[in-house]
Structures are given as structure tokens and as C-alpha cells.
Amino acid sequence: MFAGIIFSSIHFAAQPPSNVETIDASRLHLAGEFVEENLGTAVQPDGSVIVRVIAQQYSFVPSCIVVPANAPVVFRVTSPDVVHGFLITDTNVNSMVVPGFIAEVRTRFEKPKDHLMPCHEFCSVGHDGMWAHVKVVDRQEFTKSYGSQPRASCAG
């Protein structure tokens, strides 16, 4: 048991469990998964949803996220500048966002509801205004409104 504690302490100190992948924080907007056209909600062929978000001083991009209720949702969040955090109110979603890593959180929203998503790590003087909006809509409404679009957004 003692050996397990030592191994876990060393391993998770070097690689926190919520930060599953590394990424070049200085090149986020230039190529790859976090370019502008890939941000937000994307429906996968199996009906699950991936939400890609950039946390940057002092905003989340996108600032409004729409997801379907009763579907598996994966949030993939990264930062180009400083340590941020994100949590979604009234849920168990809560993670740190560290530059150079991609934080991945898996969840499912049981019913339609609007949630706030504030930054919970002090990231400098504009921190108090850093929050986003997560809009969970009925799955049928989501499919009807966003089913033919490559990306879903609150704007419609």
C-alpha cells in the first residue's frame, strides 16, 4: 500500500489526471484541434458531443456553449497564457486548465437547464469577469436546431 501511495504521488505530480494531453500553447490558434472553426460544440457520429474551449485572459472562447441533454459530453479545454479553472454550476464538472495541457472532462446533463461556467482560478485583474454560459437543451430540440450544422452555438 505504501508503494502504491508513493507511485501515485510521483506520477500524478508529474502528470495531473485531468490534464490528459500536452499541446503547444503558443500555437493554439494556428493549426490543429483548437483553431477557431473547431471551437464549440461538435456532434460525433455516435451522438456524443465534444466541446472544445480555450480559456484565455479574460474570457472563454466560445463564451456560450449549447449541448443536448441526455448525451455523453466531453469538454476539452486548454489555455494559451496562464492557469485558469472552469466549473459548471449545479454539476460535478470542475477542472484546472494549465497552459501546455488539454483538460478533458466527461459528463452528461440529465435535463435542460442554463448553467454558468466561471473561471475559478485567479488569473489576474480581469478574473472576476471571466465566465461563460452553458445552455443544455432537450435532445430532440438540439437535433432539430443543430443536427445539420457542423458546430452548434447559442446564437442559433
Side-chain angles (χ1 to χ4, degrees):
M1 187 165 99
F2 186 65
I5 292 171
I6 290 173
F7 172 78
S8 296
S9 298
I10 292 170
H11 175 72
F12 290 130
Q15 178 72 21
S18 66
N19 296 315
V20 294
E21 297 174 43
T22 59
I23 191 168
D24 182 354
S26 67
R27 303 182 54 78
L28 290 180
H29 299 292
L30 300 177
E33 180 179 2
F34 291 93
V35 294
E36 186 175 357
E37 61 267 11
N38 284 342
L39 298 178
T41 304
V43 180
Q44 302 304 296
D46 66 358
S48 66
V49 173
I50 295 178
V51 180
R52 292 179 179 91
V53 179
I54 294 178
Q56 62 189 15
Q57 290 179 314
Y58 303 99
S59 65
F60 288 103
V61 180
S63 63
C64 190
I65 299 161
V66 61
V67 296
N70 293 312
V73 178
V74 176
F75 282 87
R76 291 179 55 83
V77 186
T78 192
S79 169
D81 46 32
V82 299
V83 174
H84 296 280
F86 79 100
L87 65 86
I88 300 175
T89 57
D90 302 323
T91 72
N92 64 349
V93 174
N94 184 343
S95 184
M96 289 183 68
V97 182
V98 180
F101 292 94
I102 300 171
E104 182 172 292
V105 177
R106 296 174 183 275
T107 192
R108 178 185 294 264
F109 299 94
E110 298 301 323
K111 59 184 179 181
K113 185 175 181 178
D114 290 337
H115 300 273
L116 291 178
M117 189 175 87
C119 176
H120 64 68
E121 290 291 329
F122 183 75
C123 53
S124 192
V125 295
H127 166 75
D128 61 336
M130 186 174 172
W131 58 275
H133 176 79
V134 178
K135 182 178 180 182
V136 181
V137 299
D138 179 74
R139 190 173 178 120
Q140 290 177 344
E141 177 187 334
F142 183 89
T143 302
K144 181 180 173 186
S145 298
Y146 306 104
S148 62
Q149 300 176 21
R151 299 267 172 239
S153 92
C154 293

